[in-house]
């Protein structure tokens, strides 16, 4: 697929479009060895070699990241007061269009995907795709067999919305692992609310077959490998 040179330079170097145009007009960019000063020049980035100030510019159509979200940070692209997950991205990972894939509450920690690929995000979130999301929940009471059974049968939330069956298992008395296949607003907390349990701590540990590595610091961000992306959809 063809792309305009100014868009490509702006995206891949993470600089404003206006700055990309200036650099192109000044002759700093070459396409397949030839300096191109026309910023509207269009080319296929899969087939051409681009150099900026004589250094190769690598091409990635999309970026796929994951972060170990800390508490206090919101799952949004921008906010006037609060810190967002996008604010946590290292400079090298900042690009136009990067957005969290779904949401974790402000006080929820753990695995959050971030990408500029809308189709990918849709496929991960869509309840139709039934990608399992696994959480560890620390509760203010005990998990009984009846609660496990009612999660298995599909909880009906206080507003009457029916949830898909969820798999609840006890880790210890008041800590549970829960697997859900959709992502309704505050879903896990609301599901436990229905059975009279409050959630003190919530952490997402995996999406599909991909789990947050144990050695990852809170706030740390990494790029997903192709194998890890495949695991998400496993
Ligand atoms: N369910 C919740 O209630 N909160 C989250 O952050 C994620 C799932």
């Amino acid at each position: 697929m063809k792309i305009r040179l100014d868009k490509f330079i702006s995206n891949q170097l993470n600089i404003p479009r206006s700055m990309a145009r200036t650099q192109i007009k000044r002759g700093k960019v070459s396409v397949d060895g030839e300096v191109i000063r026309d910023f509207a020049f269009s080319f296929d980035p899969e087939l051409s070699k681009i150099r900026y100030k004589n250094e190769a510019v690598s091409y990635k159509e999309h970026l796929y990241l994951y972060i170990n979200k800390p508490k206090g940070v919101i799952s949004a692209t921008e906010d006037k007061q609060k810190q967002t997950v996008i604010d946590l991205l290292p400079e090298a990972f900042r690009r136009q269009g990067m957005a969290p894939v779904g949401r974790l509450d402000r006080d929820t920690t753990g695995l959050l995907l971030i990408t500029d690929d809308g189709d990918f995000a849709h496929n991960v979130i869509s309840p139709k795709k039934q990608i399992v999301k696994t959480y560890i929940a620390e509760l203010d009471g005990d998990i009984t067999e009846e609660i496990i059974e009612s999660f298995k049968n599909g909880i009906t939330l206080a507003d009457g919305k029916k949830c898909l069956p969820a798999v609840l298992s006890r880790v210890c008395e008041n800590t549970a692992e829960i697997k859900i296949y959709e992502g309704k607003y505050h879903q896990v907390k609301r599901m436990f609310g229905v059975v009279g349990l409050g959630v003190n701590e919530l952490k997402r540990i995996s999406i599909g077959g991909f789990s947050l590595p144990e050695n990852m610091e809170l706030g740390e961000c990494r790029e997903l490998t192709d194998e890890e992306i495949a695991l998400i959809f496993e």
Side-chain angles (χ1 to χ4, degrees):
M1 207 176 67
K2 288 198 166 185
I3 185 172
R4 270 171 61 131
L5 192 52
D6 54 352
K7 184 168 185 216
F8 176 91
I9 291 294
S10 152
N11 264 349
Q12 305 301 312
L13 301 183
N14 185 30
I15 57 173
R17 190 77 72 95
S18 55
M19 195 186 286
R21 287 180 180 173
T22 312
Q23 294 301 302
I24 295 166
K25 283 193 274 187
R26 286 187 182 155
K28 307 283 185 201
V29 177
S30 69
V31 179
D32 296 326
E34 193 186 330
V35 171
I36 303 288
R37 290 173 193 269
D38 172 11
F39 58 74
F41 178 81
S42 89
F43 66 103
D44 186 338
E46 305 276 2
L47 303 177
S48 295
K49 298 257 177 297
I50 311 300
R51 294 181 83 83
Y52 171 65
K53 292 188 179 169
N54 222 10
E55 291 211 11
V57 181
S58 66
Y59 172 64
K60 279 183 192 164
E61 187 181 5
H62 295 297
L63 261 187
Y64 303 92
L65 308 177
Y66 62 102
I67 191 165
N68 185 4
K69 181 190 160 310
K71 280 188 184 184
V73 176
I74 60 168
S75 303
T77 49
E78 53 184 3
D79 192 273
K80 290 212 169 69
Q81 277 122 36
K82 298 179 202 91
Q83 193 178 35
T84 73
V85 288
I86 300 298
D87 296 331
L88 297 180
L89 299 185
E91 197 58 42
F93 289 150
R94 297 214 178 171
R95 269 196 188 194
Q96 297 246 316
M98 292 298 280
V101 176
R103 280 165 195 272
L104 290 179
D105 296 338
R106 195 169 171 201
D107 59 354
T108 300
T109 59
L111 179 60
L112 183 69
L113 307 178
I114 299 175
T115 185
D116 56 352
D117 182 348
D119 290 338
F120 170 89
H122 173 77
N123 285 332
V124 174
I125 298 168
S126 170
K128 285 199 196 113
K129 306 282 174 184
Q130 300 232 338
I131 300 224
V132 61
K133 281 97 187 172
T134 309
Y135 296 83
I136 298 290
E138 208 184 286
L139 306 157
D140 64 2
D142 295 348
I143 303 127
T144 62
E145 283 308 315
E146 291 76 58
I147 293 177
I148 293 176
E149 197 56 27
S150 51
F151 272 56
K152 197 167 138 192
N153 294 330
I155 291 274
T156 302
L157 298 174
D159 63 2
K161 287 205 181 94
K162 174 103 176 147
C163 297
L164 292 171
V167 182
L168 184 62
S169 43
R170 203 182 292 114
V171 176
C172 62
E173 262 173 23
N174 63 349
T175 304
E177 183 191 88
I178 171 167
K179 290 181 180 292
I180 58 172
Y181 296 83
E182 55 193 337
K184 298 190 198 306
Y185 184 63
H186 293 325
Q187 179 161 346
V188 173
K189 291 175 187 162
R190 288 161 75 208
M191 286 170 84
F192 280 113
V194 170
V195 296
L197 291 175
V199 176
N200 292 333
E201 298 284 337
L202 189 61
K203 176 179 184 180
R204 183 156 66 194
I205 56 167
S206 56
I207 299 177
F210 174 64
S211 297
L212 190 70
E214 291 203 349
N215 63 1
M216 234 177 132
E217 304 278 338
L218 279 168
E220 193 182 333
C221 174
R222 296 183 189 168
E223 196 168 353
L224 284 164
T225 62
D226 290 346
E227 291 75 26
E228 287 167 341
I229 290 175
L231 278 176
I232 290 172
F233 296 103
E234 199 172 57

